[in-house]
Amino acid sequence: MQVYILLCSILLLSQPCSNQLQRISEEESALRDIVFMRTEGLLMTQMLEKNSKNRDVLKICKQVKVYYKQTQPQLLAVTKGKDLKLDESQFATIAKEVEKKFENYNINREDKWIDMYKLHIHNSVRVYSLFLQRREWVSVTYFSFKALPELINLELEFNKLDIK
C-alpha cells in the first residue's frame, strides 16, 4: 500500500497544471525512467522482504527502504512541474512484472533472487553514473548526485552477502 501512495504522490506532483498535450522532453523521459527504475526497485525490495528468512537480507531491505524514503523528497522536487506522462497502468505493469519475477521464489535458491536484485541495483548505479557524466539536465544531474552515493553503498552491502 505504501508503494502505491508513494507512486501516486509522484504522479500527482509531477503533472503540470495545464492539460495541453505536449511531447515529452528528453529530460522528462530521463526522470520518468528514474521513477520507473525506483518503482521496480522498491517493489523488488518488498518481495525480498516478504519472502526471505535471511536476517542479513532483511536488514539490507530495511536500509533500501530508508534510502527510498530519504531520496523521495529530492525526486519530488526535481519532477515538480514536469509532465512525465505517468499513469496507474504503467505502475500496475511494473508491479505485475516484479511479481512474475518472484513467482517461483524458493528459499533454498534465494541466491538466484539476490543476484537478480543485485543486477537491478548495479544497473541503477550505472544509470545514475551516466547521468552524472553527461550533465545534460540540471534536475537529473542533481538527483543522481544526491541518490548515487547511498545506492553504491547498498550495492556493496548486497555484494557482501553470502547466500548459497
Side-chain angles (χ1 to χ4, degrees), residues 20-135:
Q20 295 177 343
L21 288 176
Q22 50 181 293
R23 202 177 129 255
I24 191 166
S25 72
E26 288 182 23
E27 177 185 17
E28 290 166 330
S29 180
L31 288 168
R32 182 175 134 153
D33 290 346
I34 288 171
V35 170
F36 290 154
M37 185 173 60
R38 287 172 57 90
T39 301
E40 180 182 43
L42 185 56
L43 290 170
M44 288 175 74
T45 303
Q46 290 179 328
M47 292 301 275
L48 271 179
E49 198 172 42
K50 175 181 164 186
N51 291 296
S52 183
K53 305 294 183 232
N54 183 305
R55 279 192 241 176
D56 293 330
V57 171
L58 295 174
K59 180 182 170 193
I60 297 173
C61 285
K62 286 186 190 303
Q63 289 176 273
V64 171
K65 289 169 80 174
V66 167
Y67 161 78
Y68 282 113
K69 195 175 201 175
Q70 288 177 342
T71 56
Q72 190 63 16
Q74 288 100 11
L75 182 61
L76 289 174
V78 299
T79 59
K80 187 175 179 143
K82 306 268 192 306
D83 187 0
L84 305 184
K85 306 276 191 245
L86 300 173
D87 65 54
E88 285 188 44
S89 68
Q90 295 161 319
F91 295 111
T93 300
I94 294 169
K96 285 178 190 172
E97 289 297 316
V98 170
E99 283 181 27
K100 188 176 180 179
K101 287 178 182 179
F102 281 84
E103 69 186 358
N104 296 319
Y105 190 94
N106 180 333
I107 198 72
N108 297 323
R109 289 291 315 200
E110 189 168 40
D111 60 321
K112 175 182 172 185
W113 282 269
I114 296 297
D115 287 345
M116 180 175 50
Y117 192 84
K118 287 189 322 191
L119 179 62
H120 169 79
I121 290 178
H122 179 74
N123 287 337
S124 298
V125 167
R126 286 182 39 218
V127 167
Y128 289 143
S129 297
L130 179 64
F131 287 147
L132 278 175
Q133 289 171 0
R134 292 172 64 190
R135 298 181 190 186

